[in-house]
Amino acid sequence: MLVRLYDLPDFPSEAKVAAAGVTVRRALPPERHFVTAWVGAKFNNYWVSEVEMAMSQHPVTCWIAVRGNDLLGFACHDASMKGFFGPTGVGEAARGQGIGEALLIATLRGMREAGYGYAVIGDPGPVEFYQRRLDALEIPKSSPGIYGGMLAEPNPE
Ligand SMILES: CC(C)(COP(=O)(O)OP(=O)(O)OC[C@H]1O[C@@H](n2cnc3c(N)ncnc32)[C@H](O)[C@@H]1OP(=O)(O)O)[C@@H](O)C(=O)NCCC(=O)NCCS
């Protein structure tokens, strides 16, 4: 999917999430082990590798949602490809409260500040999530896109 970054809308979830005591911010390099372990426990190893990439850049291109000392979600850009948004995920217990959207808009604004005019969502998964507030366009003939031929995890026997 393709997203214009120069006319991003306001997302009401930002204020809602802040009012609920959740902070959405750029992750810090010393938090890398913490964020990658959390993503590995809740999601998959491909995303761990992508988060490692995002957490190794200066400035870091991974945003996190935190309440107190609890990590609730993450979103990256420039992980697999320059100009790509993702991966992103919110812990199951914290879903449906606007955190995914708040992470999305914070990361897209970060991309705009980094000099991009457009973002590519390389592997969107729930397309409706991205189309709800963003006027995101599906890119024809782009599946599996850059991920074609990627090594697969062995099946556990
Ligand atoms: C997709 C995901 C990040 C959304 O996080 P979230 O915090 O639950 O999302 P929000 O609460 O901000 O949802 C905002 C809106 O999008 C909608 N939405 C959320 N997830 C959706 C989905 N999978 N499909 C369609 N709509 C969705 C919500 O219903 C909500 O609408 P509402 O305000 O009318 O209730 C989360 O469900 C997740 O981690 N999923 C597994 C990982 C994944 O698929 N990541 C995306 C691919 S990289």
Side-chain angles (χ1 to χ4, degrees), residues 36-125:
T36 52
W38 186 89
V39 170
K42 300 208 180 288
F43 296 102
N44 60 66
N45 286 332
Y46 293 112
W47 287 10
V48 170
S49 298
E50 291 185 295
V51 168
E52 281 174 351
M53 185 73 191
M55 291 291 305
S56 303
Q57 310 202 37
H58 262 157
V60 163
T61 58
C62 179
W63 270 254
I64 54 175
V66 295
R67 188 190 286 119
N69 200 40
D70 289 335
L71 179 55
L72 304 176
F74 77 101
C76 301
H77 73 84
D78 287 22
S80 277
M81 289 273 148
K82 288 186 180 176
F84 271 39
F85 170 88
T88 185
V90 172
E92 274 188 45
R95 288 182 194 167
Q97 300 170 37
I99 295 171
E101 271 195 3
L103 281 162
L104 174 64
I105 191 66
T107 308
L108 293 178
R109 282 204 197 105
M111 293 185 74
R112 175 73 172 140
E113 282 160 22
Y116 292 108
Y118 298 86
V120 171
I121 302 172
D123 186 9

Side-chain angles (χ1 to χ4, degrees), residues 13-43:
S13 37
E14 282 191 291
K16 184 176 149 192
V17 159
V22 176
T23 301
V24 174
R25 62 167 171 82
R26 199 186 289 266
L28 288 163
E31 294 170 323
R32 179 175 141 156
H33 67 289
F34 199 102
V35 180
T36 52
W38 186 89
V39 170
K42 300 208 180 288
F43 296 102

